[in-house]
């Protein structure tokens, strides 16, 4: 973890956006000695069925928990992409559910990664864990947090009966992301995420 | 709902602090046409097993989602009481789980209300719904949100199989609070919660 990192996660209701955000925040604070906040906004857009959360990871206590320009944007719906992509910080990381989001023209220097999280979750038997597949993929492509800290945060955030399935989902996303990174020869994890 | 209201909810992990906060935020935004944010902080205190959330309710979009001086403080552990009670706004409302929190000297003008939420939840068969008993009690003693909006938000926030139990918990807390208010002849709901 380095300096201050702002993350925005968006999708539609039922995809588990909030849980994914809480897992990332918890991993940073409980298992890596950092600080994190997670903010959820309820407003007119929520009435339309969309869901989003903001996570800030920091090595210091956080005074202002609002994300204005995310370093990392994770989107699981076209609507969330359209709404939040223009806010992504130059040099930021865009992570999409690739079968749900069609990526348009993106700013030069953005690193964009897609994962078929819903399909991978369905292969594990429960579509509902797509959010945790996304978290595993996030671990691999951002390199921001230790996969082991995120794994512990996943186990800590779901009911006992759902732990095994969620850990499988995490591992599946992590593996998919690691292979993608390997194939593309991308090794500068976190470089774009220096303290601001 | 009036102007801007800041709410802090604190307890220990496993009491469902975050769900209680989300229900209140959702009720305001989805069912009463307002705006709300819910912020959860992860830091050293979370490593000690305590949990807290901040909720802001507003008739306008919220620019700064951090609570500094809550209008309403809801505490379900002694530690949360000790930590947050000094921050309560003068004339604010203090709501406690009365069998878990011993209230010390409080600032003049504070309205303090206690409910044996854990015991009431146990009477319904599941201690785990104590958080929703607290939300029902909150509805009665603050008068900030329509009980019906909160009820819908409860139903909307828990798995289908848990809806009936959670709605019973909400009704139990609401009833307990309503009787308490009636007995004390307290009728100025919301008066201390005018826009700031």
């Amino acid at each position: 973890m380095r300096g201050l990192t702002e993350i925005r996660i968006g999708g539609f209701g039922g995809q588990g956006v909030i849980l994914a955000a809480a897992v990332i925040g918890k991993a940073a604070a409980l298992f890596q000695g950092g600080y994190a906040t997670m903010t959820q906004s309820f407003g007119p857009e929520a009435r339309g069925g969309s869901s989003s959360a903001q996570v800030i990871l920091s090595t210091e206590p956080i005074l202002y928990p609002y994300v204005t320009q995310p370093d990392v944007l994770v989107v699981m719906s076209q609507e969330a992409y359209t709404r939040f992509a223009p806010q992504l910080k130059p040099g930021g990381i865009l992570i999409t559910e690739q079968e749900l989001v069609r990526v348009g023209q993106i700013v030069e220097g953005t690193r964009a990664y897609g994962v078929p999280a819903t399909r991978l979750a369905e292969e594990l038997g429960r579509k509902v864990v797509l959010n945790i597949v996304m978290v595993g993929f996030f671990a691999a492509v951002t390199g921001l947090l230790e996969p082991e800290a995120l794994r512990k945060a996943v186990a800590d955030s779901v009911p006992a009966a759902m732990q095994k399935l969620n850990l499988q989902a995490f591992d599946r996303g992590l593996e998919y992301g690691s292979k993608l990174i390997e194939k593309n020869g991308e090794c500068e994890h976190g470089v774009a995420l220096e303290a601001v």
Side-chain angles (χ1 to χ4, degrees), chain A:
Chain A
M1 250 173 74
R2 327 176 166 209
L4 189 79
T5 305
E6 303 188 334
I7 302 162
R8 165 77 77 169
I9 308 181
F12 37 81
Q15 284 182 319
V17 164
I18 308 303
L19 180 62
V23 163
I24 291 171
K26 206 180 267 189
L30 302 189
F31 306 111
Q32 288 201 207
Y35 293 81
T37 59
M38 193 274 277
T39 299
Q40 183 180 5
S41 295
F42 306 91
E45 70 286 358
R47 289 191 278 275
S50 73
S51 175
S52 82
Q54 310 173 66
V55 182
I56 297 181
L57 311 181
S58 175
T59 49
E60 311 283 331
I62 296 158
L63 299 178
Y64 183 74
Y66 242 20
V67 169
T68 45
Q69 263 204 318
D71 300 280
V72 182
L73 173 61
V74 180
V75 284
M76 301 188 248
S77 74
Q78 192 65 38
E79 186 189 340
Y81 172 77
T82 305
R83 185 159 162 231
F84 298 119
Q87 301 169 6
L88 188 62
K89 200 170 284 180
I93 296 181
L94 171 66
I95 297 174
T96 57
E97 205 302 355
Q98 70 182 29
E99 294 177 0
L100 298 177
V101 179
R102 179 188 295 259
V103 174
Q105 194 149 17
I106 52 173
V107 177
E108 210 184 296
T110 302
R111 288 185 283 152
Y113 303 96
V115 56
T118 311
R119 184 158 52 78
L120 295 178
E122 278 168 351
E123 286 171 14
L124 293 170
R126 288 291 300 277
K127 185 177 164 180
V128 73
V129 293
L130 85 114
N131 58 339
I132 304 300
V133 175
M134 295 297 292
V135 172
F137 186 73
F138 166 94
V141 303
T142 68
L144 271 174
L145 293 165
E146 294 298 328
E148 206 39 50
L150 282 160
R151 251 186 143 260
K152 279 184 199 158
V154 169
D156 200 57
S157 305
V158 301
M162 295 291 281
Q163 269 189 20
K164 193 178 158 200
L165 176 66
N166 278 279
L167 291 173
Q168 285 173 337
F170 177 80
D171 291 343
R172 193 68 193 86
L174 181 69
E175 183 198 10
Y176 190 95
S178 303
K179 282 193 182 154
L180 190 70
I181 291 289
E182 210 177 304
K183 206 175 75 184
N184 294 352
E186 182 86 13
C187 327
E188 84 276 36
H189 293 180
V191 164
L193 299 171
E194 291 285 345
V196 288

